[in-house]
Amino acid sequence: MAKVDTSPTGGVGWRNLRTGLLFVAGIILAGTLGLIIGKNTSILNRHDKAYLFITDIKGLAEGNMVAIAGKKIGIVKRMDFEQRIDTSGVRVTLDIVDEFFGLITKDSKATVKALGVLGDKYVDISLGHSHEKLSDGSYMAVAAEPGLEDLTASAIKTMNTIQDISQKINKGEGSFGKLITTNELNDKLVRTMTNIETMTNSIMHGGGVLATLMNDESLAKRVASLITNLSDVSSSLKEGRGTLGKFAVDESFYSNLVSLTKRTDSLFAKLSSNESTIGKLSNDPAMYDNLNRGIISLDSLLIDLKQNPGKYVTIKVF
């Protein structure tokens, strides 16, 4: 019959083995937790994928956060080089928790942003207004956001522009440059102010119309009276007083004028018709010829009467 080794040496060996196993298990557990935390992901939720095609990732790295309105919904799973329509870029794979993936629509846009000025990069998704949801494994539109490099380039461009303007000013180019570097513009301003002062003195103390109007109270009163009279005349016209006022505002005068015009048109129409003598004289050639022959005959008769009165008039003396 076998005997169990209860010696102190056997017990120590088992305890050492058990301690070693626990230590290895702790290392494995710590490594797993570190991997999960380092990847910013969860192994307990279902995940969907979306892709981005970016020509410049601007420091984005695998494991960085994916967020909607600042709330984390997933991570950047991986990044691979890709060629699309003769354009080289990076295909970014987004690993998004399923419960948040349903919020993303087809018109949503992804932007690579920074956490603070110099913080880590992350992908921020701005939700759209479409009713069509983004399907699993689809590409999302990417919106560009100015980064630190863009701001630096813009600042350098602005500084160069300011430097160019300063150089032109120092060279005396432009009105501002001439004002600083030469006395030409200043002299012109001085002459202009002198001319204005001279003209003002001439108006105040000269003998012109403006000076008279400003200094002669009687002329000013007459001008004021004239303006008052014009105002009264205008009021009378508006109120319809007088012939001119009635002509301007009285509709009956206009109606009478229209009626007179219609009667005149009717009269001229009757005179122009073939029923009247004047109308026949204007439109009937035969009547014109007869009248012309009658006038010629009457003229011949008067001439013959004047030359041979005895032929027509006989005077007998008893």
Side-chain angles (χ1 to χ4, degrees):
M1 185 175 179
K3 296 182 179 180
V4 179
D5 187 5
T6 58
S7 63
T9 305
V12 173
W14 169 247
R15 285 196 299 270
N16 289 338
L17 178 62
R18 185 174 56 184
T19 302
L21 292 175
L22 290 175
F23 180 74
V24 171
I27 291 176
I28 295 174
L29 180 60
T32 304
L33 292 176
L35 181 63
I36 294 173
I37 296 173
K39 289 293 185 178
N40 291 324
T41 186
S42 174
I43 60 175
L44 302 179
N45 296 317
R46 182 174 176 272
H47 293 255
D48 295 318
K49 288 183 175 58
Y51 298 101
L52 308 177
F53 180 76
I54 305 176
T55 56
D56 184 3
I57 61 175
K58 297 181 179 180
L60 187 68
E62 293 181 1
N64 287 163
M65 179 177 68
V66 178
I68 295 178
K71 177 178 176 58
K72 178 184 173 183
I73 63 170
I75 63 166
V76 176
K77 186 71 174 179
R78 60 180 297 171
M79 293 187 292
D80 303 289
F81 287 106
E82 187 176 65
Q83 186 87 10
R84 298 187 67 186
I85 315 176
D86 299 331
T87 302
S88 299
V90 176
R91 184 183 67 179
V92 180
T93 303
L94 305 181
D95 186 74
I96 301 174
V97 178
D98 181 69
E99 64 173 307
F100 301 116
F101 193 85
L103 300 174
I104 305 174
T105 56
K106 285 191 174 182
D107 59 344
S108 299
K109 294 182 179 180
T111 307
V112 178
K113 295 184 177 181
L115 291 169
V117 179
L118 299 176
D120 291 337
K121 302 293 184 177
Y122 74 101
V123 177
D124 183 70
I125 299 176
S126 59
L127 300 179
H129 302 284
S130 175
H131 296 291
E132 297 185 52
K133 302 298 182 181
L134 185 72
S135 57
D136 185 18
S138 300
Y139 277 85
M140 290 182 59
V142 178
E145 182 179 70
L148 183 60
E149 300 85 358
D150 300 323
L151 295 177
T152 303
S154 178
I156 293 174
K157 184 177 180 180
T158 302
M159 293 300 297
N160 291 334
T161 302
I162 294 175
Q163 185 177 3
D164 292 339
I165 294 174
S166 300
Q167 290 177 354
K168 290 182 179 180
I169 292 175
N170 292 331
K171 292 178 181 179
E173 299 179 7
S175 300
F176 194 64
K178 291 181 180 180
L179 180 63
I180 293 178
T181 58
T182 65
N183 294 326
E184 179 182 357
L185 186 58
N186 181 67
D187 295 339
K188 289 182 179 180
L189 292 174
V190 171
R191 286 196 298 271
T192 301
M193 295 303 298
T194 302
N195 292 334
I196 293 175
E197 184 178 0
T198 302
M199 183 175 62
T200 304
N201 291 331
S202 177
I203 292 174
M204 295 298 297
H205 306 291
V209 176
L210 289 177
T212 304
L213 183 62
M214 295 180 66
N215 299 317
D216 190 351
E217 294 184 359
S218 60
L219 180 60
K221 290 181 180 179
R222 288 197 295 271
V223 172
S225 177
L226 175 61
I227 294 174
T228 302
N229 293 333
L230 289 175
S231 178
D232 294 339
V233 171
S234 176
S235 299
S236 299
L237 292 177
K238 289 182 179 179
E239 295 174 1
R241 296 198 299 267
T243 303
L244 188 59
K246 291 180 179 180
F247 180 75
V249 300
D250 192 358
E251 295 183 359
S252 61
F253 182 84
Y254 173 78
S255 301
N256 294 334
L257 183 62
V258 171
S259 177
L260 177 61
T261 303
K262 290 182 179 179
R263 290 198 296 271
T264 303
D265 291 340
S266 177
L267 176 61
F268 276 110
K270 289 182 179 179
L271 291 177
S272 300
S273 65
N274 293 328
E275 297 178 359
S276 64
T277 303
I278 295 177
K280 290 180 179 179
L281 183 62
S282 301
N283 302 318
D284 191 356
M287 184 174 183
Y288 173 79
D289 293 338
N290 294 333
L291 181 61
N292 191 30
R293 286 196 296 270
I295 292 174
I296 294 174
S297 300
L298 180 60
D299 185 53
S300 300
L301 178 62
L302 291 176
I303 293 173
D304 188 51
L305 178 62
K306 186 176 181 180
Q307 293 177 351
N308 305 297
K311 184 178 177 179
Y312 299 97
V313 180
T314 303
I315 300 175
K316 294 182 180 183
V317 179
F318 295 98

